[in-house]
Amino acid sequence: MKGLQWQVGMLSVSSLLMVACSDPAVGTWEADEKASNGQRSEFVLTDEGDKLQGEGDFQIQGIGAVIECTGKIVAEIKRDREYAVEVQWQGADGCDMIPDTDYDCTLEKDDTQLDCGTEGGLWNRIE
């Protein structure tokens, strides 16, 4: 039984170390502002070693209407809490015709906000 307790204890310590070592931008993010359709864009970032990857559902304001697009995200770590983010657009309604978009983003407010400038917007951590 002691061997099992030790293994479970080591598993818990390993899990904590993995969480403690992940990048502070890892998590689920929601747009600070709602689109004109009343919905907020949302995406998830996961740690893939030297870069972060993720996917999200984005509300993109078109002329007179909001287009719902999926975006695949790759974020390279530039410096501590600074990222070069690329979004590759996909989905119906011409989303795949939108060129890949690049943003410079910075974690702020105790890692609870991700500021991607005037073009990329402000994002709040929800998980």
Side-chain angles (χ1 to χ4, degrees):
M1 186 68 169
K2 283 189 176 190
L4 180 59
Q5 288 175 336
W6 182 82
Q7 288 176 338
V8 171
M10 287 306 293
L11 181 59
S12 297
V13 170
S14 297
S15 297
L16 285 173
L17 288 174
M18 284 177 59
V19 169
C21 293
S22 69
D23 191 88
V26 168
T28 304
W29 297 89
E30 181 180 68
D32 190 54
E33 295 184 17
K34 290 182 181 178
S36 63
N37 64 359
Q39 297 182 23
R40 294 182 196 267
S41 298
E42 186 176 303
F43 67 90
V44 176
L45 284 178
T46 58
D47 196 336
E48 301 298 325
D50 62 339
K51 59 183 145 186
L52 307 176
Q53 293 184 345
E55 189 170 284
D57 295 317
F58 297 89
Q59 312 297 314
I60 299 178
Q61 185 65 50
I63 298 173
V66 173
I67 302 168
E68 296 182 20
C69 296
T70 300
K72 291 205 179 269
I73 302 165
V74 175
E76 292 187 24
I77 303 164
K78 291 173 35 175
R79 287 180 284 288
D80 186 38
R81 292 175 167 65
E82 292 183 19
Y83 307 87
V85 178
E86 178 186 57
V87 181
Q88 300 166 350
W89 302 105
Q90 302 173 338
D93 298 325
C95 297
D96 57 346
M97 300 297 286
I98 300 171
D100 295 350
T101 310
D102 295 317
Y103 304 102
D104 288 318
C105 302
T106 304
L107 273 175
E108 298 178 346
K109 295 194 178 185
D110 295 326
D111 300 338
T112 62
Q113 286 190 331
L114 186 63
D115 186 350
C116 296
T118 54
E119 292 296 317
L122 186 63
W123 299 84
N124 297 307
R125 181 185 300 281
I126 57 174
E127 285 184 22

